[in-house]
Amino acid sequence: MALPVKDVTISESAPSELLLQKHISYISAYGTKKDDYEYCMTEYLRLSGIYWGLTVMDLMHSLELMDRQEVLQFVRECQHECGGVGASIGHDPHLLYTLSAVQVVTLYDAVDTLDVDAVVKYIVGLQTDEGGFMGDKWGEVDTRFSFCAITCLALLGRLDAVNVDKAVEFVLSCMNFDGGFGCRPCSESHSGQIYCCVGMLAIVGRLHHIDADQLGWWLCERQLPSGGLNGRPEKLPDVCYSWWVLSSLSIIGRLHWIDKEKLVRFILATQDEETGGFADRPGDMVDPFHTLFGIAGLSLLGNTAVKPVNPVFCMPEETIRRLGLKPQML
């Protein structure tokens, strides 16, 4: 007997139009409420939160509403002598937040906010003999960190600082029989890890190692009857996978394989009509993370009310062009 599909039901009263001004107001007000419980409890990922907020504001043509000087000063104070950047002031450095810092200063065309040579040295020191990257000095290796390292160096114009061939070798060792990628060799395929691996291979021009049809089939199987996408089989749909899945499909030239109309309906249904913002699923609490990936997903689906987003870097296409970066696309 077939198992029931895990999915959600979209109400007929759910939003069906993009509430752009509501989202601009939601994000622009988020960082000003520093005494709110939610804001205080997310200090451990503050710098990533700043990247999510700034990027979605830029995509919504509203970056100028954010306090540039305050943001750059915060980023500067999060960098350690080793070159790595922490999630907040006083937090240990980690590759995840180092990438967020590099993306933020790149959005503002203010890379000199950071000690770039120190950042590069920090990243080089995290590459293992197998070619993968540790997230920090404690040694966890994950394909997410391969993406973070290569993306940082690409944005800084310093890809030659690490062993790219070994980095590719490690990522390919994490490819599975279904065409997807896991966090480490022999780990389960997951949409988020697939984005990291496909994006990393696109940056270094090695997409020929991917079976685009096989991987495209696995990614398209993530779409559920509601139109939403999940991260792996038997999971509920989540707006963030509107980014992880769609970006990968875009990079490998298979974006047209999913039902765009149904996915747009799902994404729009997750909006909060009162406060603005996107949630993971219709009716849930909104947050900046899902707001970015909801807007970015709509951008990939061709919504012209927002800027075109680069599917590899998750930044406005115009920013990537300004840097002269041309990641490989199939």
Side-chain angles (χ1 to χ4, degrees), residues 21 26 37 49 60 74 76 125 132 138 145 166 174-175 179 198 205 215 226 240 249 270 274 276 282 326 328:
Q21 192 55 53
Y26 167 70
Y37 177 80
M60 296 188 296
F74 179 80
R76 187 178 294 110
W138 302 111
F145 308 147
K166 290 293 289 185
C174 300
M175 186 188 293
V198 170
L215 177 57
S226 66
C240 70
L249 286 171
T270 68
E274 294 184 10
K326 297 179 180 179
Q328 183 184 10

Side-chain angles (χ1 to χ4, degrees), residues 147-208:
F147 175 79
C148 290
I150 294 301
T151 302
C152 278
L153 295 174
L155 291 173
L156 296 173
R158 301 289 292 274
L159 263 178
D160 58 339
V162 292
N163 189 329
V164 171
D165 289 339
K166 290 293 289 185
V168 169
E169 188 177 312
F170 173 76
V171 164
L172 294 179
S173 74
C174 300
M175 186 188 293
N176 292 320
F177 69 93
D178 54 19
F181 294 83
C183 58
R184 287 177 291 277
C186 302
S187 296
E188 176 187 14
S189 293
H190 186 281
S191 300
Q193 306 295 151
I194 289 171
Y195 162 75
C196 290
C197 295
V198 170
M200 180 269 197
L201 293 173
I203 291 172
V204 299
R206 307 291 179 88
L207 287 179
H208 60 277

Side-chain angles (χ1 to χ4, degrees), residues 9 48 68 76 111 119 155-156 197 228 234 256 270 295 304 307:
T9 300
S48 289
R68 183 181 191 272
R76 187 178 294 110
V111 173
V119 171
L155 291 173
L156 296 173
C197 295
E234 300 304 317
H256 58 289
T270 68
I295 290 291
T304 57
K307 293 181 181 180

Side-chain angles (χ1 to χ4, degrees), residues 13 19 23 25 65 71 73 113 117 143 155 214 237 268 293 316 318 321-322:
S13 63
L19 310 173
H23 305 317
S25 298
L65 297 180
V71 167
Q73 179 63 31
T113 300
D117 288 339
T143 49
L155 291 173
Q214 185 181 39
L268 293 176
F293 294 124
E318 64 187 19
R321 289 178 180 171
R322 167 169 58 81

Side-chain angles (χ1 to χ4, degrees), residues 44-78:
Y44 68 95
L45 46 72
R46 178 76 66 240
L47 199 43
S48 289
I50 291 173
Y51 155 70
W52 302 329
L54 293 180
T55 301
V56 73
M57 288 294 277
D58 202 351
L59 290 174
M60 296 188 296
H61 306 275
S62 300
L63 183 60
E64 72 282 355
L65 297 180
M66 309 303 276
D67 191 327
R68 183 181 191 272
Q69 184 175 352
E70 181 184 9
V71 167
L72 294 179
Q73 179 63 31
F74 179 80
V75 170
R76 187 178 294 110
E77 293 178 2
C78 289

Side-chain angles (χ1 to χ4, degrees), residues 310-326:
N310 184 278
V312 174
F313 292 95
C314 196
M315 298 171 70
E317 187 68 59
E318 64 187 19
T319 300
I320 302 307
R321 289 178 180 171
R322 167 169 58 81
L323 296 175
L325 294 173
K326 297 179 180 179

Side-chain angles (χ1 to χ4, degrees), residues 274-318:
E274 294 184 10
T275 67
F278 289 74
D280 56 351
R281 287 176 280 278
D284 286 355
M285 187 71 74
V286 301
D287 59 66
F289 174 83
H290 289 96
T291 301
L292 167 60
F293 294 124
I295 290 291
L298 291 173
S299 177
L300 286 177
L301 292 168
N303 190 300
T304 57
V306 297
K307 293 181 181 180
V309 66
N310 184 278
V312 174
F313 292 95
C314 196
M315 298 171 70
E317 187 68 59
E318 64 187 19

